[in-house]
Structure formats: structure tokens, C-alpha cells
Amino acid sequence: MKSSIKLIVAGAAIAAGAALAFAAPVAENWENHCTKCHGADGKGQTKAGKKLQVKDYTDAKVQADMKDAEMIKATADGIFDKAGKEKMKAYKDELSAAEIKELVAYIRKFKS
Ligand code: HEC
């Protein structure tokens, strides 16, 4: 089941890749970089997500408390706790500014 999903994603990536040059489709970026903690559904109910206490991005209140600019900054520069320990890594070296913006829009769509 999981591998067939991956095949579909890979197929879509090839199709979209022709049009988008090197930028990966947002769903693929989400799957590859973010679902480990935030979950495919954005609820953060994964093993790592629970441990790090990531928020439920389907929750309208959680969504309302987040500002787009902060979401972009958090994804680009990472999130650290008060002691400076990394909670979420910085993605600016792996993802372009446009890809990060798309991911923020993608997260907004989890709101129920
Ligand atoms: C190692 C686990 C981990 C991964 C992987 C991860 N995050 Fe996070 N993320 C966190 C934690 C922990 C927080 C802080 C708690 C929260 O806001 O849910 C967070 C918070 C956020 C926030 C909220 C920032 C704010 O303004 O409150 C955004 C947006 C976000 N992550 C986006 C992403 C995106 C996009 C990816 C993939 C490119 C990603 N995260 C990958 C752990 C992770």
C-alpha cells in the first residue's frame, strides 16, 4: 500500500517536473520532509510528532494562532527551544523560498 502511494507520487513528480523545472511538487516535499513529525494529515500524531508535541494543524484555533510570516520563518530557519536545542531543523538549504511558501499554503489547507 505504502509503496504504491510512493509510485503515484513519483509518477506525479515526473509529470510535474517537466513543467516546474527542478522544484518538487508541494505534496512530495511535505511527504519527504515534514510527515515524519507533522503526519500526512497534519495532525502530528506520529511517534516523533507526539514526542515533540507538534500541534494539530487541522485545529482551527491552532491555525488562527499561526502567522504566515512566522510559519515561513520557522520552516526556513528551524525551531529551537529556550535552551537552544533544535526541535525542527532549518530547511532553507534544501527548499527554495517558493517551495517553503507553497508548504505553508499546504499546511493552511489542513484546517477543518
Ligand atoms: C523533527 C520533527 C519535525 C519535522 C521533520 C518538521 N517539523 Fe515543523 N515543527 C516541529 C515542531 C516540534 C514544531 C513546534 C511545535 C508546533 O508548532 O507544532 C514545528 C512547527 C512547525 C510550524 C509552526 C511554526 C509556527 O509559526 O508556529 C510550521 C509552519 C512547520 N513546523 C512546518 C514544517 C514543514 C513545512 C516541515 C517540512 C519541510 C516541517 N515542519 C518538518 C517539528 C518538525
Side-chain angles (χ1 to χ4, degrees):
M1 188 62 195
K2 199 130 199 245
S3 63
S4 66
I5 291 169
K6 281 222 172 89
L7 273 178
I8 294 164
V9 171
I14 292 161
L20 284 168
F22 295 105
V26 65
E28 195 192 324
N29 278 335
W30 178 254
E31 163 78 25
N32 288 342
H33 300 287
C34 323
T35 52
K36 190 174 145 255
C37 298
H38 293 287
D41 58 4
K43 289 188 176 180
Q45 290 300 306
T46 63
K47 201 171 164 219
K50 283 182 191 164
K51 200 171 152 224
L52 288 162
Q53 296 177 313
V54 298
K55 292 171 195 152
D56 177 357
Y57 294 150
T58 66
D59 185 327
K61 194 184 171 302
V62 168
Q63 286 274 357
D65 285 345
M66 294 194 293
K67 302 278 163 287
D68 280 19
E70 286 163 18
M71 294 168 77
I72 289 168
K73 194 177 181 306
T75 309
D77 298 337
I79 299 177
F80 303 86
D81 69 12
K82 283 194 192 90
K85 196 170 162 280
E86 183 182 280
K87 290 174 80 184
M88 175 173 140
K89 71 170 198 169
Y91 286 95
K92 63 175 174 237
D93 294 337
E94 285 164 63
L95 301 170
S96 70
E99 285 175 305
I100 291 174
K101 237 178 129 181
E102 277 178 5
L103 281 164
V104 167
Y106 192 80
I107 291 171
R108 288 300 192 194
K109 293 203 187 120
F110 288 126
K111 187 177 134 182
S112 48

